[in-house]
Amino acid sequence: MSSYANPSPFFCGNRASSSSPATARRRSHLAFRPVRCVITTEEKSARVATVKNGSDSLVICRILNGMWQTSGGWGRIDRDDAVEAMLSYADAGLNTFDMADHYGPAEDLYGIFINRVRRERPPEFLEEIRGLTKWVPPPVKMTSDYVRDNINISRKRMDVASLDMLQFHWWDYSNTGYLDALKHLADLKEEGKIKTLALTNFDTERLHIILENGIPVVSNQVQHSVIDMRPQRKMAELCGLTGVQLITYGTVMGGLLSEKFLDVNLSIPFAGPSLNTPSLQKYKRMVDAWGNWGLFQTLLQTLKTVASKHGVSIPSVAVRYILNQASVAGSMVGVRLGLSEHIKDISAVFSLDLDEEDMNSITEVSMKGRDLLKVIGDCGDEYRRA
């Protein structure tokens, strides 16, 4: 890990490219030359968090680039354009990428990207790139060989000797094979094949059991947004006692928490943007569980008032609100690589300071909805209900 005592350079301008012909044609009029912007030590401290357990630790960007969107349903991903986009995010200091074994080509794209970084960026830049992945196995017997073989697949796809973070998911708590899997994963960590071990979508009870079994997990990735405050009800208390931190997803609800859906009446066909992606459809169901579209509009109006006060966007406020919550190390924002980008909006989060009035006004509307802990259950229970 490089020192954070000095400002860190990131490439922010044009650069040589080996992207697709389409990308090359779009950029052929540009003179490619690297332009560096400097992030000061103070700015860097606001951008990063350290997740740790004992001697295991990992520095991550507090806003993670979520790569679920590479798995299909958001538009066709061009490989070269996607990798070029990953470089743009990293150059802007958004250098932590979150993926999974089942997110289509996500791990393969990271492997291509990290090799571009190795060839085209200085060593200190490479040292700050993070690739977090997930393993979501079927409920079969968790032998040492089975676990090792699957982790080796991710290592090969991502082209790394050691995974920065392996986040483990388990479907059925009645099958305690998850403890066997985690113990084998801990062995692989000791061998240097995994740097940090983490969870995704585990509830508070099982997190407690895992920690009692001596498994050194550093974080739990869970759904957490202005309307889904379940992690603050039980999970955050255990995290506060144990030091385990939260990485959140669904924080901008697939784009529902944005100006695009403000003052939109979904009951009128074709009157506004369609819910045409898996994430928009998923989080519209969360809106329905929490309240209704009218109450959601009240929430968007409140977020817009706060956003206008600070000269930022609704998504920026939504992310900052969650980053301010207890035990939250970082929040995910999905990236549609090569199709669209939101670097400016997301970078604004780092300097956004919500005051007490801002936080209280958002909390007041959030609490008008149903208690999702009672409606759905604890973190991750939405994936395990019969």
Side-chain angles (χ1 to χ4, degrees):
M1 180 62 59
S2 60
S3 169
Y4 291 102
N6 299 310
S8 175
F10 292 93
F11 292 94
C12 295
N14 302 326
R15 57 185 177 271
S17 169
S18 61
S19 59
S20 67
T23 302
R25 286 193 296 272
R26 289 196 296 271
R27 298 179 179 178
S28 61
H29 66 287
L30 298 175
F32 292 107
R33 55 190 177 86
V35 178
R36 294 193 183 197
C37 61
V38 173
I39 296 175
T40 66
T41 302
E42 182 179 358
E43 289 171 331
K44 174 157 282 190
S45 67
R47 286 172 168 261
V48 301
T50 302
V51 291
K52 58 185 178 180
N53 188 321
S55 60
D56 299 338
S57 68
L58 187 72
V59 177
I60 62 171
C61 182
R62 294 203 72 197
I63 300 177
L64 299 88
N65 304 312
M67 294 179 65
W68 180 31
Q69 284 76 4
T70 66
S71 62
W74 288 264
R76 182 181 177 274
I77 297 291
D78 176 88
R79 184 194 68 178
D80 293 340
D81 286 353
V83 172
E84 195 71 28
M86 293 174 75
L87 286 164
S88 296
Y89 278 93
D91 287 343
L94 299 167
N95 52 21
T96 301
F97 296 84
D98 180 89
M99 64 212 86
D101 60 341
H102 62 288
Y103 287 1
E107 291 184 333
D108 301 298
L109 289 172
Y110 183 86
I112 300 169
F113 158 75
I114 201 66
N115 275 297
R116 287 278 304 273
V117 173
R118 288 167 182 152
R119 294 194 307 267
E120 301 172 17
R121 300 293 186 273
E124 61 270 21
F125 186 98
L126 173 63
E127 290 177 6
E128 295 182 346
I129 301 296
R130 298 288 179 267
L132 285 53
T133 194
K134 306 179 194 74
W135 183 40
V136 185
V140 298
K141 186 173 178 60
M142 292 290 116
T143 65
S144 176
D145 286 344
Y146 182 80
V147 173
R148 181 183 299 273
D149 289 346
N150 278 274
I151 297 311
N152 282 340
I153 292 172
S154 289
R155 291 171 58 228
K156 182 177 181 180
R157 293 179 70 190
M158 296 172 67
D159 201 8
V160 294
S162 181
L163 301 175
D164 289 328
M165 179 185 288
L166 190 284
Q167 301 165 102
F168 176 72
H169 175 88
W170 191 253
W171 293 108
D172 182 7
Y173 292 144
S174 67
N175 178 348
T176 57
Y178 67 89
L179 291 173
D180 296 325
L182 284 165
K183 288 173 182 176
H184 296 316
L185 289 170
D187 290 339
L188 292 175
K189 182 185 69 65
E190 291 304 310
E191 294 177 19
K193 292 181 171 59
I194 300 169
K195 293 177 183 175
T196 54
L197 185 55
L199 305 173
T200 181
N201 290 316
F202 272 79
D203 66 7
T204 308
E205 180 183 348
R206 255 54 61 161
L207 173 58
H208 187 258
I209 291 171
I210 289 165
L211 293 171
E212 282 191 325
N213 275 267
I215 308 296
V217 297
V218 299
S219 62
N220 186 20
Q221 186 178 134
V222 295
Q223 183 173 292
H224 197 355
S225 69
V226 175
I227 72 167
D228 188 358
M229 297 296 291
R230 288 177 297 158
Q232 295 303 313
R233 297 291 303 280
K234 295 170 64 177
M235 182 69 66
E237 182 180 359
L238 179 59
C239 289
L241 293 171
T242 61
V244 173
Q245 296 193 68
L246 301 175
I247 295 174
T248 74
Y249 65 88
T251 306
V252 295
M253 301 183 67
L256 283 177
L257 288 172
S258 69
E259 282 81 1
K260 184 177 181 179
F261 287 91
L262 179 63
D263 297 327
V264 168
N265 186 346
L266 289 183
S267 66
I268 302 176
F270 311 110
S274 60
L275 304 177
N276 59 356
T277 69
S279 50
L280 284 171
Q281 294 159 12
K282 171 183 178 178
Y283 293 114
K284 173 56 167 60
R285 292 192 292 271
M286 295 303 299
V287 171
D288 295 339
W290 169 74
N292 55 55
W293 192 249
L295 181 57
F296 186 69
Q297 285 298 311
T298 301
L299 176 61
L300 285 179
Q301 290 159 7
T302 301
L303 292 170
K304 181 60 178 176
T305 298
V306 175
S308 297
K309 171 182 170 180
H310 293 279
V312 297
S313 67
I314 287 176
S316 296
V317 174
V319 173
R320 182 77 261 175
Y321 181 83
I322 295 302
L323 287 176
N324 286 356
Q325 302 300 317
S327 298
V328 174
S331 289
M332 199 90 56
V333 178
V335 288
R336 299 176 67 178
L337 298 170
L339 300 175
S340 63
E341 60 91 4
H342 45 242
I343 291 173
K344 182 179 178 180
D345 266 3
I346 294 308
S347 296
V349 174
F350 296 118
S351 58
L352 177 58
D353 183 15
L354 298 181
D355 58 33
E356 186 176 358
E357 180 183 9
D358 299 329
M359 294 293 291
N360 288 342
S361 66
I362 298 168
T363 300
E364 182 180 354
V365 182
S366 174
M367 293 182 66
K368 289 182 179 179
R370 300 184 188 95
D371 181 352
L372 292 185
L373 188 68
K374 295 179 180 178
V375 175
I376 299 173
D378 199 4
C379 298
D381 282 357
E382 60 268 33
Y383 298 104
R384 299 181 178 87
R385 289 182 298 173

